[in-house]
Amino acid sequence: MKLFDEKMMQTAIQEAKKAAEKNEVPIGAIIVYKNEIIARAYNLRETSQSTLAHAELLAIQQANQKIGSWRLEDCTLYVTLEPCPMCAGAIVQSRIKRVVYGAKDPKAGCAGTLFNLLDDDRFNHQAEVTAGVMEIECAKLLKDFFKDLRQRKKQGS
């Protein structure tokens, strides 16, 4: 499972790099069903000027269309950054079985860092969480992006 998770996270990282190329925060997500990638997305909040354009939500929408159902019960979501409260809520609502993420999010992480919305038994669904898969690579994408952004702001471009 570990090797498969790393392979899938590498694909999510490729999605995150597409976001960075568009000056979007580099977060990528994929959804896997029966060992096949059925959805892939990256952050598009700046491009679309939509609060909802997080990689996870865009991937969930694609997976819903691919499967033809709002229920993603046998799916695994791979995402480069720990899901925020909004995305964690969508994961619970979509019934995703498992979430695998790379870097922790100390400011908004709701899959174990600030709290674990995905494992709260007060909800009618819980998702298994695997944290820290390719964490160093995922965190580096974000650190490099924000470092570059700060440098560009200093230069006034």
Side-chain angles (χ1 to χ4, degrees):
M1 184 66 97
K2 185 179 182 211
L3 284 176
F4 185 78
D5 284 349
E6 288 178 0
K7 181 181 175 188
M8 293 299 105
M9 187 60 73
Q10 188 61 50
T11 303
I13 288 170
Q14 294 308 313
E15 291 299 309
K17 288 177 179 177
K18 292 176 188 175
E21 289 170 11
K22 293 186 173 203
N23 291 318
E24 293 278 355
V25 177
I27 300 167
I30 64 165
I31 295 179
V32 174
Y33 176 70
K34 295 183 179 179
N35 295 327
E36 178 188 336
I37 297 170
I38 62 166
R40 55 181 76 220
Y42 52 88
N43 233 25
L44 284 172
R45 241 177 10 169
E46 296 300 325
T47 302
S48 67
Q49 287 300 300
S50 171
T51 305
L52 303 177
H54 284 208
E56 300 97 317
L57 297 183
L58 297 172
I60 287 169
Q61 272 188 308
Q62 274 185 37
N64 292 147
Q65 291 169 352
K66 177 84 173 180
I67 287 181
S69 174
W70 64 268
R71 289 183 178 90
L72 302 176
E73 295 167 323
D74 293 318
C75 294
T76 299
L77 169 75
Y78 291 85
V79 61
T80 56
L81 182 67
E82 180 180 5
C84 72
M86 176 176 66
C87 293
I91 291 162
V92 169
Q93 290 298 313
S94 66
R95 312 292 197 268
I96 287 174
K97 184 176 187 173
R98 182 168 177 250
V99 175
V100 179
Y101 73 83
K104 289 183 181 342
D105 186 348
K107 294 182 180 177
C110 285
T113 297
L114 296 180
F115 63 97
N116 192 346
L117 198 109
L118 302 177
D119 193 29
D120 192 320
D121 61 10
R122 293 173 293 178
F123 291 116
N124 63 343
H125 175 77
Q126 292 78 42
E128 175 190 336
V129 176
T130 302
V133 174
M134 299 186 72
E135 183 173 10
I136 293 167
E137 295 88 337
C138 293
K140 185 175 179 348
L141 276 173
L142 291 158
K143 286 176 187 168
D144 291 350
F145 174 81
F146 285 111
K147 181 181 175 185
D148 184 53
L149 185 64
R150 285 189 298 274
Q151 286 176 341
R152 281 186 282 148
K153 283 185 177 180
K154 279 183 186 174
Q155 295 167 352
S157 53

